[in-house]
Amino acid sequence: MKTTFGRRTRILAATTATAGLVLVAGCSSDDDGGSGSKTAAGGVELVKAGQLTTCTHLPYPPFQSEIDGEVQGFDVSLIDLVAEDLGVKQAIVDQPFENFKTGGSLNAGQCDLAAAGMTITEERKKNVDFSDPYFEATQAVLATKDSGITSFADLKGKKVGAQAQTTGEDYAKGQGLDPVSFESSDAVLNGLRTGQVEAVVIDYPVVQGWLKDKANADAFTVAEQINTGEQYGFTVKKGNTKLLNAINNALADAKGDGTYKEIYEKWIGPYEESAASPSASAS
């Protein structure tokens, strides 16, 4: 039986289809897309009137990917909650990960925040401000079933893939591997399917999404999960405390009223309390 959690539950069904995919290289902060104020609820200043503009890098299921013509996923649903609190709709800009990881897109006024399954690191904190952590992530080694790979230690001397500019790639390199670098998670999976690599190192939730497909489950196996202590956070331009507070408040509300759990189970799988991560600020 479904539990009712008030307004959050009532809007949850709509959160998977409200985000608009905006295929642009960037948007000027001077373009408000029409009349209206760029100041949202709580005094949050937006780059475009009437919308919360989110930078991401597609595809990265289950966090964000295009499904039936709409960008949907775990991150998308959570940021929809922030947009609702601000009284606007979310719009999504697809950009290379590097653009917003370094804060470039935020500083240029191309988006208000970035949501891309991004791990909180000290290096990235130099360029952006992170929200409270919203997801505990582990890395996984996914290998073809005939590769003989049963652990990370078996990757030595093997052809290994990883997604460019990610902590999975950093981890593999830090352990002495020289992984083949793929631009997107879809490209990583294709590299595994086509034999370009025998195994990949990538975030475990991504692997979980892949293995929901029977063909992938029949062909590949999780050789090892690696607890690297990673936590995901959303990012804003450094010093944008009003928007950061709005994100953190929406996350806290969602965790408190059960909406986070519903979104997690929809996009990730069986809910584990630890996945919501601690409430201490990461910024």
Side-chain angles (χ1 to χ4, degrees):
M1 179 179 294
K2 186 172 181 178
T3 303
T4 300
F5 294 105
R7 72 180 184 91
R8 289 293 192 197
T9 302
R10 290 199 295 273
I11 61 93
L12 181 56
T15 62
T16 59
T18 57
L21 173 60
V22 185
L23 292 176
V24 295
C27 51
S28 169
S29 58
D30 294 328
D31 178 14
D32 66 6
S35 61
S37 173
K38 293 184 183 179
T39 304
V44 174
E45 295 294 327
L46 303 174
V47 298
K48 294 191 73 174
Q51 70 180 48
L52 182 64
T53 307
T54 301
C55 276
T56 195
H57 181 53
L58 299 169
Y60 198 63
F63 296 94
Q64 51 271 318
S65 59
E66 190 172 358
I67 304 170
D68 298 329
E70 298 286 349
V71 181
Q72 303 182 36
F74 184 70
D75 284 0
V76 178
S77 293
L78 289 178
I79 296 302
D80 272 342
L81 300 179
V82 181
E84 186 213 8
D85 286 350
L86 296 179
V88 298
K89 296 292 186 180
Q90 180 182 184
I92 293 176
V93 179
D94 183 22
Q95 291 193 344
F97 190 70
E98 184 71 13
N99 285 21
F100 48 83
K101 183 185 78 169
T102 59
S105 300
L106 296 166
N107 293 334
Q110 294 173 358
C111 47
D112 297 298
L113 74 150
M118 191 186 306
T119 301
I120 301 168
T121 69
E122 292 303 315
E123 185 63 28
R124 292 172 182 173
K125 284 184 183 180
K126 296 175 183 177
N127 302 312
V128 296
D129 284 344
F130 276 95
S131 71
D132 291 340
Y134 68 91
F135 189 83
E136 295 280 355
T138 61
Q139 294 294 324
V141 177
L142 187 69
T144 56
K145 287 189 174 179
D146 60 359
S147 66
I149 296 170
T150 60
S151 68
F152 186 90
D154 293 335
L155 297 180
K156 187 175 181 180
K158 302 286 188 179
K159 292 187 293 183
V160 180
Q163 184 173 346
Q165 304 292 331
T166 65
T167 51
E169 182 182 58
D170 291 343
Y171 182 82
K173 289 180 176 179
Q175 299 299 310
L177 301 179
D178 184 21
V180 177
S181 184
F182 295 95
E183 177 61 25
S184 69
S185 62
D186 275 7
V188 172
L189 179 58
N190 187 60
L192 194 59
R193 283 173 172 163
T194 58
Q196 297 176 58
V197 293
E198 298 170 83
V200 299
V201 180
I202 196 165
D203 289 9
Y204 181 58
V206 176
V207 170
Q208 285 179 291
W210 290 344
L211 294 182
K212 289 179 181 179
D213 183 287
K214 186 177 184 301
N216 291 335
D218 289 344
F220 312 125
T221 183
V222 178
E224 185 176 353
Q225 284 189 61
I226 308 160
N227 187 354
T228 54
E230 294 179 48
Q231 296 178 319
Y232 288 170
F234 301 120
T235 63
V236 301
K237 181 179 178 180
K238 288 195 76 67
N240 191 352
T241 56
K242 288 184 178 180
L243 179 54
L244 196 66
N245 289 338
I247 295 170
N248 288 338
N249 289 339
L251 290 174
D253 287 347
K255 291 172 186 177
D257 66 19
T259 306
Y260 180 97
K261 180 176 183 289
E262 289 192 27
I263 294 174
Y264 187 98
E265 290 176 339
K266 176 179 177 63
W267 293 108
I268 308 296
Y271 180 72
E272 296 180 14
E273 196 68 35
S274 62
S277 47
S279 59
S281 176
S283 59

